[in-house]
Structure formats: structure tokens, C-alpha cells
Amino acid sequence: MKFAYRSIGIIHSPFKTTKGIPIQPAGAEAIKGTIHIYPEYVKGLKDLDGFSHIILLYHFHLNRDSKLIVVPFMDSRPHGVFSTRAPCRPNPIGLSVVKLRKIKGNILEIENVDILDQTPLLDIKPYVPEFDQFPADRIGWLEEVRGMVKDKKSDSRFD
Amino acid sequence: MKFAYRSIGIIHSPFKTTKGIPIQPAGAEAIKGTIHIYPEYVKGLKDLDGFSHIILLYHFHLNRDSKLIVVPFMDSRPHGVFSTRAPCRPNPIGLSVVKLRKIKGNILEIENVDILDQTPLLDIKPYVPEFDQFPADRIGWLEEVRGMVKDKKSDSRFD
């Protein structure tokens, strides 16, 4: 089955190329960005300003190929793409949780941004600890590289 | 900008209609389901079995209309759709974190399922507390209805 989605706005960030981006919001503390929501969707932002954190779903727009086996930024061994957060997925949808600082009209000021400049936004959802936090006790291959995420930066391997 | 995605598999669950579904995995404890991944994507599952929890992105396939202002299951007041998890979004992409029990070939056994039967799956990502847990201190309108999520069930208002 095929689905057609369209962007609801554009994410702006200091990251102009795929190199040197923090690989998760956990490593992007204090990095600021903005989201420009297209005017036709602004009504949907009502009450969002009450939330300190929001979930962004977006399209990895500089990703070219989809690969099923990848060597992720945090490891030197190959893994199945669904066991990684690599951008080269069959459906290149990215997910980041960012801090929401302020909403002014159609512009959202956000923080902890690990997203490339000019990224097309697909959806915003409120981040709610009661919905979104789970006591995961096994994190697979990431167990061995734990603690590395805060310092690790992207390179251009998925361009 | 428009994007074309295609399903990578189908989610099976005990929920055959949009009525009476737990509205978040937090209210779906022990409810079992399976995911049938299409054969061409099975290679991408390598190493996923090391993770206790996985993030599913899927298409809300029974959702008909997109609305920007909605009355969500958990409240009687209208809110902007982006401040809710309602299915009637401009891009009807759902997000659930479920427990991963077992992978056997192309079939994933999952638990804590709050998803409708026959839902088309778009992506699987590993759930990693270090990436996915944030100290959110404000949850907007949900603050007032807190604690309700475990017992609340869906109805057909978004059909």
C-alpha cells in the first residue's frame, strides 16, 4: 500500500550539511532551531504551547538510498536498519523530541535540535511522559556503546 | 512538498473496529498482537530482537478526514490536533511503543498493543531510554485529565 503525505512546515536549524550533527536530541542540548508552520495548519497548534516537549516526525530529505543493512554512526558493525535510527530507511521518517520554547503565530522556537536545516515537517505530537516512557530493560547492540550518544556526531555516510 | 511512503508490513491485533481500543500503550498492558513484515524487508530486522521495546510508526488507515481542531478521547474541550494524539491529523501517522516478545522469520510478536487490526506499518525503530526519555515538566491540557489514560477507551468519533 502507498500513502501520500505532505509537509506541514519546515524545520530550520544551524546544521546545513549532514556532517557534524548531534545524532540524537540527547547530544544536542541547547541547540536552537525554529519551525515555520504553513499558514493553513496554524489552527492545529492551539494549546500546544502548554507542553514543554514535543515529538517531531519529519522527512529525511537528504537521504538518497534506503538500505536494509547499515553501519550506524555509533558502531562499526552492520545492523538491520530497523534496529538503528539511521536515516536510510525504507520510509525515511525521522523522529525527534525537542524542547518547545515559544510559539508566535506560525513560528515555533525549539531547543535540543538534532535535525538538518530545511527539513520538511510531517507531524507534531505532544510528548507526555505517561504515554512515552517505558521501562525498557534491553537495548540490544546499543548496550555496548552506551554513553557514546552525547558526543557522537554524524558524518556523510548516508548521503 | 509531497512524499510517497509504502507499508513495510501489517499489524494484527484483537481490535477490529475503532471502538473500545485503549488510547495509548499504557492502557493496553498485556494485549498481544503480531506484525507480518513483507519478505522484501525482513533483512532489516537483523539485531532487532535484542531490544525489549520498539517504536512503531504506522498509517491510521480507518481515519477519513483531517481536522485541525478536535475533541480528543480524554477531554470534552476542543484542542488543536497537534496538541493531541488523535488520528485525524493532516498526515495520519500513528506512533506507539510496544513490547517486543519474539521475532520468528518475518513475524514479530508484540505486547501492549493499542493499534487497530490490519494497520499498515511504515517503520520500526528501537526504543532506547537514553534517546527517548525526557524530563517533560509541562503537559498542557493533559495535566487536568492525568491518570485517565489507563482506563480510557476509544470511540468512533474519528471514523
Side-chain angles (χ1 to χ4, degrees):
Chain A
M1 263 171 294
K2 281 190 189 175
F3 308 102
Y5 297 134
R6 58 180 69 214
S7 52
I8 60 166
I10 298 291
I11 304 169
H12 299 272
S13 85
F15 305 115
K16 311 294 179 199
T17 73
T18 53
K19 282 184 209 173
I21 306 183
I23 61 168
Q24 286 293 329
E29 222 169 300
I31 291 175
K32 288 177 184 163
T34 55
I35 304 174
H36 291 235
I37 300 291
Y38 298 138
E40 60 266 41
Y41 299 109
V42 168
K43 253 173 82 177
L45 297 174
K46 180 171 147 49
D47 302 328
L48 188 66
D49 58 359
F51 293 82
S52 63
H53 290 70
I54 55 177
I55 301 170
L56 306 178
L57 297 181
Y58 51 87
H59 183 80
F60 284 119
H61 66 300
L62 290 195
N63 179 62
R64 260 170 250 283
D65 297 314
S66 135
K67 290 175 205 151
L68 292 176
I69 297 289
V70 300
V71 177
F73 296 129
M74 288 179 65
D75 205 349
S76 53
R77 298 165 300 178
H79 301 285
V81 70
F82 301 124
S83 80
T84 78
R85 306 284 277 252
C88 57
R89 328 181 69 77
N91 295 307
I93 306 175
L95 183 169
S96 293
V97 178
V98 297
K99 261 194 202 174
L100 177 60
R101 282 316 194 180
K102 195 195 278 187
I103 302 181
K104 228 178 161 177
N106 73 323
I107 296 175
L108 280 64
E109 293 179 17
I110 55 174
E111 217 173 284
N112 299 4
V113 179
D114 66 336
I115 305 166
L116 203 61
D117 190 39
Q118 302 292 339
T119 292
L121 180 67
L122 295 171
D123 197 12
I124 302 175
K125 300 180 195 287
Y127 179 84
V128 183
E130 195 178 353
F131 299 171
D132 297 307
Q133 298 191 357
F134 298 87
D137 54 1
R138 291 187 304 118
I139 56 164
W141 63 270
L142 277 160
E143 189 65 52
E144 291 169 46
V145 293
R146 203 166 197 154
M148 208 200 257
V149 64
K150 286 221 163 111
D151 305 312
K152 202 72 186 175
K153 299 279 188 283
S154 70
D155 53 44
S156 52
R157 73 181 72 181
F158 298 123
D159 284 8
Chain B
M1 265 172 292
K2 279 190 189 174
F3 309 103
Y5 297 134
R6 58 180 70 213
S7 52
I8 60 166
I10 298 291
I11 303 169
H12 299 271
S13 85
F15 305 114
K16 310 296 178 197
T17 72
T18 53
K19 283 183 207 171
I21 306 183
I23 60 167
Q24 287 293 328
E29 222 168 297
I31 291 176
K32 287 177 183 162
T34 55
I35 305 174
H36 291 233
I37 300 290
Y38 297 138
E40 60 265 41
Y41 299 109
V42 169
K43 254 174 82 177
L45 298 174
K46 180 171 148 43
D47 302 326
L48 188 66
D49 58 359
F51 293 83
S52 63
H53 290 69
I54 56 176
I55 302 171
L56 305 179
L57 297 181
Y58 50 86
H59 184 80
F60 284 119
H61 65 303
L62 290 195
N63 179 61
R64 261 170 248 283
D65 297 315
S66 136
K67 290 175 205 150
L68 291 177
I69 298 289
V70 301
V71 177
F73 296 129
M74 288 179 65
D75 206 351
S76 53
R77 297 165 300 177
H79 300 286
V81 70
F82 300 123
S83 80
T84 78
R85 305 285 276 250
C88 57
R89 328 181 68 78
N91 295 307
I93 306 176
L95 183 169
S96 292
V97 177
V98 297
K99 262 194 201 174
L100 177 60
R101 283 315 194 181
K102 196 194 277 188
I103 303 181
K104 228 177 162 176
N106 73 321
I107 297 176
L108 280 65
E109 293 179 17
I110 55 174
E111 217 173 284
N112 300 3
V113 178
D114 65 337
I115 305 166
L116 204 61
D117 191 38
Q118 301 294 338
T119 292
L121 180 67
L122 295 172
D123 197 12
I124 303 176
K125 300 179 194 289
Y127 179 84
V128 183
E130 195 178 352
F131 299 170
D132 297 306
Q133 297 191 357
F134 298 87
D137 53 1
R138 291 188 303 118
I139 56 164
W141 63 269
L142 276 160
E143 188 65 51
E144 291 168 47
V145 294
R146 204 168 196 151
M148 208 200 259
V149 64
K150 286 221 165 113
D151 305 311
K152 202 73 185 174
K153 299 280 187 283
S154 69
D155 52 43
S156 53
R157 73 181 72 181
F158 298 123
D159 285 8

XYZ file of all heavy atoms in Angstrom, chain B residues 67-136:
556
model
N -8.709 16.932 10.684
C -9.308 18.117 11.309
C -8.214 18.844 12.066
O -7.354 18.213 12.657
C -10.383 17.699 12.322
C -11.635 17.121 11.705
C -12.572 16.628 12.814
C -13.476 15.542 12.283
N -13.878 14.576 13.305
N -8.277 20.163 12.104
C -7.249 20.908 12.836
C -7.661 21.153 14.279
O -6.821 21.324 15.152
C -6.943 22.232 12.122
C -6.235 22.056 10.775
C -6.041 23.394 10.094
C -4.876 21.362 10.957
N -8.954 21.164 14.543
C -9.449 21.300 15.911
C -10.231 20.038 16.246
O -11.127 19.647 15.496
C -10.365 22.544 16.047
C -9.585 23.827 15.747
C -11.009 22.598 17.432
C -8.569 24.243 16.797
N -9.884 19.379 17.351
C -10.533 18.109 17.704
C -10.908 18.090 19.185
O -10.296 18.772 20.003
C -9.611 16.890 17.443
C -9.215 16.820 15.987
C -8.375 16.922 18.322
N -11.901 17.284 19.499
C -12.197 16.966 20.891
C -11.636 15.561 21.121
O -12.175 14.590 20.629
C -13.712 17.004 21.176
C -13.998 16.589 22.615
C -14.261 18.393 20.906
N -10.511 15.468 21.824
C -9.853 14.160 21.957
C -10.606 13.239 22.920
O -11.503 13.682 23.641
C -8.475 14.515 22.498
C -8.650 15.828 23.182
C -9.769 16.534 22.499
N -10.246 11.950 22.901
C -10.924 10.964 23.759
C -10.853 11.358 25.234
O -11.732 11.041 26.011
C -10.293 9.582 23.580
C -10.462 9.026 22.189
C -9.370 8.549 21.479
C -11.711 8.971 21.593
C -9.511 8.024 20.200
C -11.871 8.454 20.310
C -10.764 7.983 19.612
N -9.785 12.034 25.613
C -9.572 12.272 27.036
C -10.125 13.588 27.562
O -9.852 13.968 28.697
C -8.068 12.198 27.342
C -7.555 10.782 27.267
S -5.806 10.692 27.598
C -5.732 11.215 29.284
N -10.854 14.320 26.732
C -11.336 15.621 27.195
C -12.655 15.940 26.499
O -13.011 15.319 25.501
C -10.287 16.698 26.864
C -10.366 17.896 27.798
O -11.329 17.985 28.589
O -9.466 18.743 27.736
N -13.359 16.931 27.029
C -14.599 17.353 26.368
C -14.424 18.721 25.716
O -15.349 19.263 25.136
C -15.745 17.386 27.382
O -15.356 18.189 28.485
N -13.217 19.265 25.819
C -12.949 20.576 25.225
C -12.171 20.413 23.914
O -11.387 19.469 23.767
C -12.113 21.415 26.194
C -12.815 21.725 27.510
C -11.825 22.231 28.542
N -10.768 21.239 28.823
C -9.745 21.450 29.650
N -9.623 22.617 30.270
N -8.838 20.508 29.861
N -12.355 21.343 22.976
C -11.616 21.243 21.711
C -10.165 21.708 21.873
O -9.882 22.630 22.631
C -12.384 22.199 20.783
C -13.089 23.162 21.691
C -13.299 22.471 23.010
N -9.261 21.026 21.163
C -7.839 21.385 21.172
C -7.291 21.329 19.749
O -7.856 20.643 18.893
C -7.051 20.395 22.043
C -7.502 20.370 23.473
N -7.204 21.381 24.352
C -8.239 19.466 24.161
C -7.738 21.096 25.545
N -8.369 19.945 25.446
N -6.198 22.020 19.522
C -5.514 21.899 18.230
C -5.014 20.466 18.072
O -4.521 19.869 19.029
N -5.165 19.916 16.878
C -4.843 18.487 16.671
C -3.391 18.177 17.033
O -3.086 17.082 17.530
C -5.181 18.034 15.227
C -4.223 18.646 14.197
C -5.204 16.517 15.114
N -2.471 19.150 16.840
C -1.049 18.884 17.129
C -0.763 18.851 18.636
O 0.317 18.434 19.054
C -0.142 19.909 16.447
C -0.282 19.922 14.951
C -0.624 21.082 14.262
C -0.087 18.755 14.215
C -0.770 21.077 12.884
C -0.229 18.745 12.833
C -0.574 19.911 12.161
N -1.728 19.286 19.448
C -1.563 19.166 20.903
C -2.290 17.918 21.411
O -2.459 17.743 22.615
C -2.071 20.428 21.612
O -3.477 20.406 21.743
N -2.708 17.042 20.495
C -3.368 15.779 20.854
C -2.705 14.631 20.097
O -1.896 14.856 19.205
C -4.862 15.777 20.466
O -4.977 15.534 19.052
C -5.550 17.091 20.803
N -3.120 13.394 20.439
C -2.626 12.231 19.709
C -3.739 11.650 18.832
O -3.662 10.500 18.406
C -2.126 11.188 20.717
C -1.069 11.737 21.690
C 0.301 11.909 21.069
N 1.021 10.685 21.097
C 2.091 10.432 21.871
N 2.573 11.372 22.662
N 2.677 9.278 21.833
N -4.766 12.446 18.566
C -5.903 11.998 17.756
C -5.457 11.556 16.350
O -4.476 12.080 15.812
C -6.921 13.133 17.645
N -6.159 10.603 15.752
C -5.762 10.075 14.442
C -6.055 10.999 13.255
O -5.425 10.849 12.200
C -6.578 8.784 14.311
C -7.736 8.946 15.238
C -7.269 9.837 16.351
N -6.963 11.938 13.412
C -7.395 12.769 12.265
C -6.424 13.903 11.996
O -6.798 15.070 12.016
C -8.780 13.315 12.533
S -8.835 14.272 14.062
N -5.159 13.568 11.746
C -4.106 14.557 11.563
C -3.902 14.832 10.074
O -4.240 13.986 9.239
C -2.801 14.015 12.162
C -3.015 13.119 13.369
C -1.734 12.605 13.964
N -0.966 13.650 14.561
C -1.232 14.190 15.749
N -2.240 13.739 16.474
N -0.482 15.158 16.222
N -3.302 15.976 9.718
C -3.022 16.232 8.294
C -2.256 15.060 7.656
O -2.598 14.619 6.569
C -2.185 17.509 8.331
C -2.654 18.236 9.555
C -2.961 17.157 10.562
N -1.229 14.551 8.338
C -0.574 13.307 7.913
C -0.893 12.254 8.979
O -0.345 12.309 10.082
C 0.935 13.487 7.792
C 1.298 14.457 6.690
O 0.869 14.315 5.555
N 2.077 15.481 7.023
N -1.794 11.318 8.662
C -2.297 10.407 9.699
C -1.295 9.313 10.076
O -1.515 8.136 9.825
C -3.574 9.833 9.072
C -3.352 9.927 7.604
C -2.458 11.113 7.368
N -0.199 9.745 10.710
C 0.845 8.806 11.136
C 0.690 8.570 12.636
O 0.671 9.511 13.420
C 2.264 9.361 10.853
C 2.400 9.748 9.379
C 3.325 8.326 11.243
C 3.742 10.407 9.042
N 0.554 7.306 13.013
C 0.453 6.934 14.415
C 1.802 6.495 14.957
O 2.673 6.044 14.207
N 1.972 6.640 16.271
C 3.218 6.269 16.942
C 2.856 5.481 18.202
O 2.081 5.969 19.022
C 3.963 7.557 17.296
C 5.346 7.522 17.945
C 5.943 8.933 17.928
C 5.358 7.008 19.365
N 3.366 4.276 18.339
C 3.168 3.502 19.569
C 4.463 2.810 19.930
O 5.189 2.342 19.053
C 2.087 2.425 19.384
O 0.813 2.991 19.208
N 4.731 2.738 21.224
C 5.855 1.933 21.706
C 5.263 0.647 22.267
O 4.375 0.683 23.125
C 6.656 2.681 22.785
C 7.775 1.806 23.326
C 7.224 3.977 22.216
N 5.719 -0.484 21.759
C 5.201 -1.778 22.221
C 6.359 -2.643 22.712
O 7.524 -2.392 22.394
C 4.433 -2.531 21.093
C 3.199 -1.742 20.662
C 5.344 -2.830 19.914
N 5.982 -3.657 23.497
C 6.977 -4.640 23.937
C 7.220 -5.628 22.808
O 6.271 -6.108 22.193
C 6.418 -5.439 25.119
C 6.870 -4.956 26.453
C 6.549 -6.005 27.519
C 6.504 -5.376 28.875
N 6.067 -6.297 29.924
N 8.477 -5.952 22.569
C 8.800 -6.958 21.554
C 9.056 -8.284 22.257
O 9.968 -8.399 23.072
C 10.042 -6.527 20.761
C 10.540 -7.514 19.715
C 9.486 -7.788 18.654
C 11.816 -6.999 19.062
N 8.225 -9.281 21.964
C 8.346 -10.580 22.616
C 9.267 -11.534 21.883
O 10.066 -12.253 22.482
C 6.954 -11.232 22.739
C 6.116 -10.652 23.840
C 6.960 -10.508 25.065
N 6.166 -10.254 26.258
C 6.703 -10.066 27.450
N 8.022 -10.090 27.609
N 5.946 -9.836 28.490
N 9.131 -11.588 20.587
C 9.854 -12.594 19.834
C 9.821 -12.233 18.340
O 8.851 -11.640 17.866
C 9.144 -13.945 20.020
C 9.984 -15.152 19.622
C 9.130 -16.408 19.500
C 8.888 -17.095 20.830
N 8.222 -18.416 20.655
N 10.874 -12.604 17.632
C 10.859 -12.482 16.174
C 11.108 -13.865 15.593
O 12.045 -14.549 15.990
C 11.953 -11.515 15.653
C 11.782 -10.129 16.285
C 11.900 -11.410 14.133
C 12.813 -9.104 15.814
N 10.235 -14.273 14.675
C 10.376 -15.583 14.042
C 10.206 -15.364 12.552
O 9.085 -15.156 12.081
C 9.263 -16.507 14.565
C 9.742 -17.867 15.012
C 8.591 -18.666 15.568
C 8.919 -20.155 15.609
N 7.838 -20.924 16.229
N 11.309 -15.349 11.843
C 11.226 -15.065 10.402
C 10.716 -13.662 10.176
O 11.316 -12.693 10.643
N 9.567 -13.562 9.511
C 9.028 -12.229 9.215
C 7.927 -11.804 10.189
O 7.235 -10.826 9.961
C 8.478 -12.177 7.784
C 7.171 -12.943 7.652
O 7.024 -14.007 8.259
N 6.233 -12.423 6.892
N 7.762 -12.591 11.283
C 6.666 -12.300 12.212
C 7.197 -11.825 13.564
O 8.021 -12.473 14.204
C 5.761 -13.539 12.385
C 5.116 -13.859 11.031
C 4.687 -13.286 13.446
C 4.270 -15.098 11.018
N 6.703 -10.675 13.990
C 7.065 -10.120 15.302
C 5.889 -10.320 16.252
O 4.756 -9.963 15.923
C 7.340 -8.617 15.202
C 8.701 -8.157 14.678
C 8.910 -8.554 13.246
C 8.854 -6.648 14.836
N 6.157 -10.907 17.407
C 5.131 -10.996 18.444
C 5.314 -9.807 19.372
O 6.390 -9.596 19.928
C 5.271 -12.305 19.219
C 4.952 -13.514 18.363
C 5.111 -14.835 19.121
O 5.155 -14.821 20.372
O 5.212 -15.869 18.454
N 4.220 -9.031 19.536
C 4.315 -7.806 20.334
C 3.247 -7.775 21.432
O 2.279 -8.535 21.391
C 4.202 -6.540 19.448
C 2.908 -6.580 18.612
C 5.412 -6.408 18.545
C 2.642 -5.302 17.819
N 3.456 -6.921 22.402
C 2.552 -6.811 23.545
C 2.346 -5.336 23.896
O 3.185 -4.499 23.559
C 3.170 -7.546 24.735
C 2.169 -8.280 25.596
C 2.860 -9.123 26.668
O 3.388 -10.188 26.335
O 2.873 -8.688 27.828
N 1.243 -5.040 24.592
C 0.843 -3.653 24.917
C 0.392 -2.931 23.648
O 0.807 -1.806 23.379
C 1.968 -2.861 25.598
C 2.418 -3.480 26.896
O 1.938 -4.533 27.294
N 3.332 -2.823 27.578
N -0.470 -3.599 22.907
C -0.867 -3.116 21.586
C -2.131 -2.260 21.676
O -3.159 -2.721 22.159
C -1.113 -4.312 20.638
C -1.569 -3.829 19.278
C 0.139 -5.158 20.524
N -2.039 -1.024 21.219
C -3.192 -0.111 21.208
C -3.548 0.248 19.772
O -4.009 1.353 19.499
C -2.868 1.159 22.008
C -1.753 1.981 21.346
O -0.956 1.408 20.577
O -1.686 3.196 21.588
N -3.327 -0.694 18.870
C -3.410 -0.416 17.430
C -4.492 -1.284 16.802
O -4.669 -2.446 17.171
C -2.036 -0.714 16.770
C -0.926 0.075 17.479
C -2.066 -0.407 15.285
C 0.471 -0.398 17.142
N -5.189 -0.717 15.842
C -6.263 -1.401 15.131
C -5.712 -2.548 14.273
O -4.641 -2.429 13.691
C -6.926 -0.358 14.226
C -8.338 -0.542 13.766
C -9.311 -0.584 14.940
C -8.722 0.630 12.850
N -6.479 -3.640 14.192
C -6.122 -4.754 13.321
C -5.991 -4.278 11.864
O -6.754 -3.413 11.433
C -7.230 -5.818 13.412
C -6.811 -7.123 12.747
O -5.628 -7.511 12.869
O -7.665 -7.760 12.098
N -5.032 -4.846 11.154
C -4.813 -4.574 9.717
C -4.166 -3.208 9.449
O -4.211 -2.715 8.310
C -6.137 -4.655 8.918
C -6.846 -5.995 9.000
C -6.050 -7.118 8.320
O -5.200 -6.865 7.454
N -6.299 -8.361 8.721
N -3.582 -2.629 10.475
C -2.935 -1.318 10.289
C -1.636 -1.453 9.482
O -0.788 -2.282 9.815
C -2.626 -0.690 11.665
O -3.856 -0.359 12.311
C -1.783 0.570 11.537
N -1.464 -0.649 8.442
C -0.226 -0.693 7.655
C 0.938 -0.061 8.432
O 0.832 1.063 8.915
C -0.559 0.157 6.419
C -2.046 0.350 6.439
C -2.474 0.263 7.864
N 2.022 -0.807 8.523
C 3.211 -0.359 9.250
C 4.133 0.422 8.318
O 4.389 -0.007 7.188
C 3.950 -1.581 9.811
C 5.220 -1.315 10.602
C 4.905 -0.594 11.915
C 5.963 -2.620 10.894
N 4.650 1.542 8.799
C 5.570 2.363 7.997
C 7.021 2.203 8.416
O 7.931 2.269 7.596
C 5.199 3.847 8.128
C 3.843 4.263 7.573
C 3.535 5.700 7.959
C 3.826 4.100 6.059
N 7.262 2.038 9.722
C 8.644 1.997 10.198
C 8.697 1.363 11.583
O 7.709 1.397 12.327
C 9.211 3.433 10.262
C 10.740 3.488 10.334
O 11.396 2.449 10.115
O 11.275 4.578 10.609
N 9.851 0.778 11.882
C 10.166 0.288 13.221
C 11.476 0.935 13.626
O 12.424 0.966 12.830
C 10.374 -1.247 13.241
C 9.138 -1.975 12.710
C 10.724 -1.732 14.647
C 9.333 -3.497 12.614
N 11.528 1.452 14.849
C 12.789 1.980 15.394
C 12.982 1.363 16.773
O 12.007 1.093 17.470
C 12.733 3.505 15.551
C 12.479 4.282 14.259
C 12.409 5.783 14.531
C 11.832 6.567 13.367
N 12.700 6.662 12.207
N 14.232 1.144 17.178
C 14.448 0.627 18.534
C 14.111 1.708 19.552
O 14.405 2.892 19.322
C 15.946 0.313 18.548
C 16.540 1.260 17.549
C 15.500 1.413 16.469
N 13.465 1.323 20.656
C 13.193 2.270 21.744
C 14.375 2.235 22.702
O 14.734 1.183 23.222
C 11.910 1.880 22.478
C 11.571 2.804 23.630
C 10.887 3.992 23.418
C 11.946 2.499 24.936
C 10.580 4.852 24.461
C 11.638 3.354 25.998
C 10.960 4.523 25.751
O 10.653 5.370 26.786
N 14.981 3.407 22.910
C 16.201 3.499 23.718
C 15.988 4.598 24.770
O 15.877 5.765 24.416
C 17.420 3.854 22.826
C 18.693 3.886 23.648
C 17.539 2.873 21.668
N 15.876 4.211 26.047
C 15.599 5.227 27.068
C 16.503 6.457 26.947
O 16.039 7.589 27.060
C 15.830 4.475 28.388
C 15.479 3.061 28.059
C 15.948 2.861 26.635
N 17.767 6.245 26.666
C 18.698 7.377 26.561
C 18.326 8.347 25.430
O 18.614 9.536 25.499
C 20.108 6.820 26.346
C 21.188 7.843 26.589
C 22.576 7.232 26.411
O 22.700 6.001 26.255
O 23.552 8.018 26.420
N 17.694 7.839 24.378
C 17.269 8.700 23.263
C 15.851 9.241 23.471
O 15.509 10.283 22.927
C 17.212 7.927 21.941
C 18.485 7.331 21.455
C 18.471 6.456 20.376
C 19.708 7.613 22.043
C 19.631 5.887 19.886
C 20.885 7.049 21.568
C 20.835 6.184 20.491
N 15.040 8.479 24.164
C 13.591 8.694 24.078
C 12.921 9.176 25.355
O 11.708 9.357 25.370
C 12.918 7.406 23.590
C 13.381 7.031 22.192
O 13.276 7.901 21.310
O 13.878 5.902 21.983
N 13.687 9.347 26.434
C 13.058 9.812 27.661
C 13.554 11.207 28.001
O 14.758 11.466 28.020
C 13.341 8.824 28.796
C 12.712 7.464 28.464
C 12.709 6.495 29.638
O 13.230 6.793 30.711
N 12.127 5.327 29.430
N 12.604 12.091 28.268
C 12.916 13.490 28.529
C 12.149 13.954 29.755
O 11.024 13.517 29.979
C 12.552 14.344 27.310
C 13.339 13.952 26.098
C 12.887 12.927 25.267
C 14.551 14.552 25.824
C 13.641 12.527 24.172
C 15.304 14.158 24.727
C 14.845 13.139 23.907
N 12.763 14.849 30.523
C 12.111 15.324 31.743
C 11.077 16.406 31.428
O 11.280 17.564 31.740
C 13.279 15.877 32.556
C 14.260 16.346 31.511
C 14.091 15.441 30.323
N 9.999 16.003 30.794
C 8.957 16.973 30.432
C 8.261 17.437 31.702
O 7.751 16.622 32.469
C 7.961 16.315 29.479
